[in-house]
């Protein structure tokens, strides 16, 4: 987990953006769960990581939040800010390319 | 089944102990941990287990990135928001930081104001109510932090809830007085007594006689002045009695 955490530091923003782009509107817990499922329980996002990331992305204008009442309580949803879609796409592309470079540097077959 | 307001109160307490102060973030995190608890319960855990597990999670997770204080107006907004949306009126409570959380204690004791009547004369007249009033001795307009209950000197004064005795003493205004600490949130005060029958540090139970009423201090006629303090703010005792 600790090594995952180290790698996540620079990439979590983009991972969250990619998840939101693919799934539309999501809330924090849902993002944690989806990440866990998709990585076969290998990447576990903590609340201490996911929420600050969401808040920062919102502050930067890349995502927008909305609140909904669910079971009598307020749930905060996040979605890609459509007017920043181009920048979101380019960030995801960059990380995707970088991952490719990493693979070749580590001599992995893609 | 533990009331959801109680669970929310426990989560907020843990989060605040972990340093999370921002109201909007608190609201979001409460939702998060409620889902965690609901899922654990759905998977067969008892509510108490799920809550305990969640509290442990809050205590062991590094939430330092969530603890930045944005502005000071948010706590008030949270209070308003929670009150309007969910009626969680006692959600927002300042909690002492870093106090270890004992789940058994938390689930059995959701803090509420003491409900008892403070004097052994159930039908005693209230001579002055809580709130703005003209002071009976000074004549100045002021805010009355409690209620005055008319009572002959010597009427037994009763603890309005289980408590420890925080302070007993005498001063010119309050006369002989007692302050009881009920939990980490509520204190009650009893002024103008003629005698006090307990000492600082004693444990008292609801209905115990703690002294007798009098006319000591700044008082124009024999009466008991009774206050309930919610942290630092006086609240109207009439709204608490018997609730």
């Amino acid at each position: 987990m600790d090594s995952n955490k180290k790698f996540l530091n620079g990439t979590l923003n983009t991972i969250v953006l990619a998840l939101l782009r693919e799934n539309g509107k999501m809330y924090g817990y849902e993002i944690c769960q989806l990440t866990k499922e998709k990585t076969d329980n290998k990447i576990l996002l903590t609340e201490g990581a996911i929420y600050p990331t969401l808040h920062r992305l919102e502050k930067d204008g890349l995502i927008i939040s909305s609140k909904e009442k669910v079971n009598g309580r307020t749930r905060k949803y996040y979605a890609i800010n459509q007017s920043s879609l181009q920048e979101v796409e380019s960030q995801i592309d960059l990380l995707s390319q970088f991952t490719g470079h990493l693979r070749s540097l580590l001599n992995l077959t893609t | 089944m533990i009331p959801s307001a109680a669970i929310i109160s426990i989560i907020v307490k843990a989060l605040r102990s972990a340093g999370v102060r921002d109201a909007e973030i608190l609201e979001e995190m409460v939702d998060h941990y409620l889902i965690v608890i609901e899922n654990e319960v759905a998977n067969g855990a008892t509510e108490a287990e799920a809550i305990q597990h969640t509290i442990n999670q809050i205590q062991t997770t590094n939430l330092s990135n969530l603890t930045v204080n944005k502005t000071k107006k948010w706590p008030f907004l949270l209070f308003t928001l929670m009150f309007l949306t969910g009626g969680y009126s006692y959600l927002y409570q300042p909690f002492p930081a870093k106090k270890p959380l004992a789940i058994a204690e938390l689930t059995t004791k959701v803090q509420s104001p003491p409900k008892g009547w403070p004097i052994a004369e159930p039908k005693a007249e209230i001579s002055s109510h809580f709130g703005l009033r003209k002071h009976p001795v000074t004549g100045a307009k002021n805010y009355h932090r409690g209620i005055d209950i008319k009572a002959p000197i010597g009427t037994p004064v009763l603890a309005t809830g289980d408590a420890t005795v925080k302070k007993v003493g005498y001063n010119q205004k309050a006369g002989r007085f007692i302050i009881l600490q009920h939990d980490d949130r509520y204190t009650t005060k009893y002024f103008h007594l003629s005698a006090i029958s307990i000492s600082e540090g004693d444990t008292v139970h609801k209905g115990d006689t703690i002294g007798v009423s009098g006319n000591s201090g700044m008082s124009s006629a024999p009466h008991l002045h009774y206050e309930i303090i919610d942290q630092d703010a006086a609240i109207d005792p009439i709204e608490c009695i018997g609730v």
Side-chain angles (χ1 to χ4, degrees), chain B residues 14-32:
Chain B
L15 283 167
R16 290 180 62 84
S17 290
V20 180
R21 291 285 184 277
D22 182 276
E24 230 183 298
I25 296 176
L26 270 177
E27 186 184 42
E28 190 173 26
M29 300 310 290
V30 165
D31 181 50
H32 178 103

Side-chain angles (χ1 to χ4, degrees), chain B residues 133-142:
Chain B
R133 65 154 187 187
K134 200 171 166 184
H135 195 278
V137 175
T138 64
K141 267 197 175 172
N142 70 348

Side-chain angles (χ1 to χ4, degrees), chain A residues 5 27-30 32-33 46-52 54-55 58 65 67 69-78, chain B residues 8 24-25 27-36 38-39 57-58 61-66 70 81 84-86 88:
Chain A
K5 199 174 157 188
Y27 53 96
Y29 181 85
E30 206 179 0
C32 297
Q33 285 303 105
T46 65
E47 309 84 82
I50 188 69
Y51 289 100
L54 288 166
H55 300 158
E58 186 183 14
S65 68
K67 287 182 180 175
K69 283 293 281 289
V70 180
N71 299 330
R73 59 183 196 251
T74 308
R75 181 156 299 159
K76 199 171 175 186
Y77 283 91
Y78 296 89
Chain B
I8 291 169
E24 230 183 298
I25 296 176
E27 186 184 42
E28 190 173 26
M29 300 310 290
V30 165
D31 181 50
H32 178 103
Y33 289 114
L34 284 175
I35 305 172
V36 172
E38 285 160 3
N39 287 353
Q57 195 179 332
I58 293 173
T61 307
N62 177 7
L63 297 174
S64 59
N65 287 335
L66 286 170
K70 277 189 195 161
L81 189 77
L84 291 176
T85 57
Y88 305 136

Side-chain angles (χ1 to χ4, degrees), chain A residues 32-43:
Chain A
C32 297
Q33 285 303 105
L34 186 62
T35 308
K36 192 172 144 189
E37 281 165 27
K38 282 198 173 220
T39 62
D40 197 18
N41 291 347
K42 291 298 185 297
I43 296 184

Side-chain angles (χ1 to χ4, degrees), chain B residues 125-143:
Chain B
E125 183 191 335
I126 295 175
S127 53
S128 178
H129 280 271
F130 176 85
L132 271 181
R133 65 154 187 187
K134 200 171 166 184
H135 195 278
V137 175
T138 64
K141 267 197 175 172
N142 70 348
Y143 197 80

